[in-house]
Amino acid sequence: MLSRIIDRAVDSQFRKDQSGRLVFIPFTLKGKCYFVDSKSDEEKLRGFVKLFRTTLTLISWLSFPSIYIPGLILDDFAGLTPRGHRLAIALGVPLFFWVILAALAFMLWFVYKTAVPNMTASLNEVGPEVKGQLREISRRPRRVALGVALACFGLLLLMIVGILGWHHSHGKSGCPVRVSSASNGSSISPIH
């Protein structure tokens, strides 16, 4: 399944113009694009893009468990009091892991961005008229992808607002208090 997803992502960076020539799009259609005329160049570029896409996908898939699992473990089993300390630790440690994975993703992007000019040095650059043709061919799927991405982002924002609202409404009640009586009087102690 992962292989098919990666192959589709790689295929999205290779398109054919109206004359049937293969075009490599390393970044976007607004940037430089290149004609790929030989099969060896195509295989070399596809292998490089596949390596980049696979690594980036694995980093992004590792982000969720590396953020969620330490936060869950620390929040449930660390036993820190008061709640503010637990929340700080449960958010701080996962964010540290996220920063490391984000740094890896940015380093990978930097390597990709600097390697593309070296790999495409022998290829002919595509002119603006061919880019216009490619833009017309790929306009519809791009709008759908943008709509799906915006819908996911909106859903994520709603979830964050909902969680924060729930946390805020339950946090106002304070710490529950246990009242117990002793032989020398009564005492009040917070429940932990």
Side-chain angles (χ1 to χ4, degrees), residues 85-143:
H85 291 172
R86 282 197 330 243
L87 187 61
I89 296 297
L91 290 177
V93 172
L95 285 177
F96 172 74
F97 286 116
W98 183 82
V99 166
I100 290 173
L101 289 172
L104 283 172
F106 283 121
M107 286 189 319
L108 181 65
W109 172 250
F110 179 75
V111 167
Y112 176 77
K113 193 171 183 177
T114 56
V116 164
N118 294 333
M119 297 192 75
T120 57
S122 64
L123 302 177
N124 296 327
E125 194 172 334
V126 171
E129 65 281 346
V130 175
K131 286 183 187 179
Q133 294 171 1
L134 292 173
R135 210 172 272 121
E136 290 300 320
I137 293 170
S138 64
R139 189 172 304 270
R140 176 91 173 122
R142 187 172 170 190
R143 286 182 182 165

Side-chain angles (χ1 to χ4, degrees), residues 3-187:
S3 179
R4 282 186 284 173
I5 293 170
I6 299 300
D7 287 340
R8 284 185 186 165
V10 171
D11 288 340
S12 72
Q13 290 188 252
F14 291 88
R15 299 199 190 124
K16 292 195 176 202
D17 66 354
Q18 290 179 348
S19 64
R21 289 180 75 185
L22 188 64
V23 176
F24 172 55
I25 307 165
F27 304 109
T28 64
L29 286 170
K30 293 179 182 177
K32 292 184 178 182
C33 300
Y34 304 93
F35 285 116
V36 182
D37 294 323
S38 72
K39 193 70 174 166
S40 64
D41 286 339
E42 180 185 353
E43 289 173 4
K44 179 177 72 169
L45 287 170
R46 281 187 185 273
F48 176 67
V49 172
K50 188 170 187 173
L51 177 68
F52 167 71
R53 291 286 188 155
T54 303
T55 310
L56 193 63
T57 302
L58 289 176
I59 288 173
S60 66
W61 283 2
L62 285 174
S63 294
F64 176 74
S66 69
I67 291 171
Y68 183 74
I69 292 172
L72 181 69
I73 290 171
L74 289 171
D75 190 37
D76 287 344
F77 301 113
L80 293 175
T81 58
R83 175 174 272 175
H85 291 172
R86 282 197 330 243
L87 187 61
I89 296 297
L91 290 177
V93 172
L95 285 177
F96 172 74
F97 286 116
W98 183 82
V99 166
I100 290 173
L101 289 172
L104 283 172
F106 283 121
M107 286 189 319
L108 181 65
W109 172 250
F110 179 75
V111 167
Y112 176 77
K113 193 171 183 177
T114 56
V116 164
N118 294 333
M119 297 192 75
T120 57
S122 64
L123 302 177
N124 296 327
E125 194 172 334
V126 171
E129 65 281 346
V130 175
K131 286 183 187 179
Q133 294 171 1
L134 292 173
R135 210 172 272 121
E136 290 300 320
I137 293 170
S138 64
R139 189 172 304 270
R140 176 91 173 122
R142 187 172 170 190
R143 286 182 182 165
V144 171
L146 181 63
V148 169
L150 286 175
C152 289
F153 183 70
L155 194 63
L156 180 66
L157 281 176
L158 284 174
M159 286 175 42
I160 290 171
V161 168
I163 289 170
L164 290 176
W166 178 81
H167 178 69
H168 183 68
S169 69
H170 284 81
K172 288 203 182 239
S173 63
C175 184
V177 176
R178 178 185 314 149
V179 177
S180 62
S181 63
S183 61
N184 61 355
S186 63
S187 65

